[in-house]
Amino acid sequence: MNFSCSLCGGNDLYLFAEDRRRPYYRCRCCALVQVPAPFHLSAEDEKAEYDKHDNGEDSPGYRSFLSRTLTPLLPRLNPGDKGLDYGCGAGALLAKMAREQGFEFAAYDLYYFPDRAVLAARYQCVTLTEVIEHVADARALLDELSNLLAPGALLAIMTKRVLSAEAFSRWHYKNDPTHINFYSDETFAWIAAERGWALEIVDKDVVFLRTPS
């Protein structure tokens, strides 16, 4: 199968893994593991999958899950900083949690909070919790995020990271049909170098990228 990497645009991809549902190709340049476009869901089917999620704002478990990104982020912010939760989901809970801590936080989601007016501003931080793996055009996403980030801003990303081909073959994370791009430490290092951002590995599934001041 011949196609270009959705992140770096390179053509040197190889079959990384395959299961009964779909193949997974890895780019030798940026190390992104990606599912070819013929295996992507339609927008209607994708939203139907998201509608199955039950992440109510009163769920202590979901709050704890989002805190893995928000808790290390808050000490890195200054009073008055404004943030955006990009791909916030139906409840926009992380934005609400940040506002509870005194920060002004907007919310955007393609399906649930589609007001693109919030994408005209610049922010001191942008969060993506379990979002980046769903977006097919990785480069277009990063370009849009770049336009949202003020100088010295933080991009906080939560996504489970690729470790090895052996681990990938047994990985439950790849079985979600809406997960189509899979990132690793190498991929985030490539993004940081290509964009001139500073990379901080915060946790096993949380990374921070900071733009130059």
Side-chain angles (χ1 to χ4, degrees):
M1 181 174 290
N2 294 321
F3 64 100
S4 299
C5 175
S6 70
L7 177 58
C8 71
N11 295 311
D12 192 2
L13 291 90
Y14 65 96
L15 185 63
F16 186 66
E18 189 170 16
D19 57 30
R20 59 183 177 83
R21 290 171 292 272
R22 54 194 186 166
Y24 307 85
Y25 288 81
R26 192 169 203 178
C27 177
R28 295 188 193 276
C29 175
C30 67
L32 184 72
V33 176
Q34 47 214 286
V35 174
F39 298 90
H40 295 181
L41 298 182
S42 66
E44 181 180 5
D45 289 342
E46 183 181 36
K47 184 177 183 297
E49 288 291 326
Y50 299 152
D51 287 342
K52 297 176 184 177
H53 296 176
D54 183 18
N55 296 324
E57 67 178 43
D58 294 325
S59 166
Y62 191 43
R63 280 180 169 259
S64 176
F65 174 75
L66 294 177
S67 292
R68 290 163 58 187
T69 297
L70 188 60
T71 296
L73 176 63
L74 292 177
R76 293 165 169 81
L77 301 181
N78 298 311
D81 281 354
K82 296 180 180 180
L84 171 69
D85 186 18
Y86 187 103
C88 61
L93 179 55
L94 188 143
K96 180 178 186 292
M97 292 167 62
R99 289 195 290 268
E100 290 171 354
Q101 298 299 317
F103 292 94
E104 184 178 337
F105 244 76
Y108 171 78
D109 190 280
L110 177 64
Y111 296 118
Y112 302 106
F113 289 83
D115 181 7
R116 292 187 65 84
V118 299
L119 304 183
R122 285 201 156 193
Y123 301 91
Q124 282 72 48
C125 69
V126 175
T127 59
L128 291 90
T129 55
E130 294 293 315
V131 173
I132 199 168
E133 67 276 5
H134 298 271
V135 180
D137 193 334
R139 175 163 288 276
L141 172 63
L142 286 173
D143 288 344
E144 181 164 66
L145 294 171
S146 294
N147 291 331
L148 295 170
L149 295 166
L154 274 173
L155 176 61
I157 299 173
M158 173 186 278
T159 188
K160 295 188 182 301
R161 300 198 293 274
V162 176
L163 299 177
S164 66
E166 180 183 4
F168 191 91
S169 67
R170 297 179 278 102
W171 202 22
H172 74 281
Y173 200 65
K174 70 175 174 59
N175 297 334
D176 186 324
T178 66
H179 291 179
I180 51 180
N181 279 334
F182 303 89
Y183 294 72
S184 62
D185 288 353
E186 294 87 348
T187 311
F188 285 117
W190 184 93
I191 291 171
E194 197 259 349
R195 299 271 166 172
W197 297 344
L199 171 64
E200 180 182 1
I201 303 294
V202 176
D203 199 353
K204 63 182 180 180
D205 53 3
V206 178
V207 300
F208 290 170
L209 291 154
R210 187 182 289 277
T211 64
S213 300

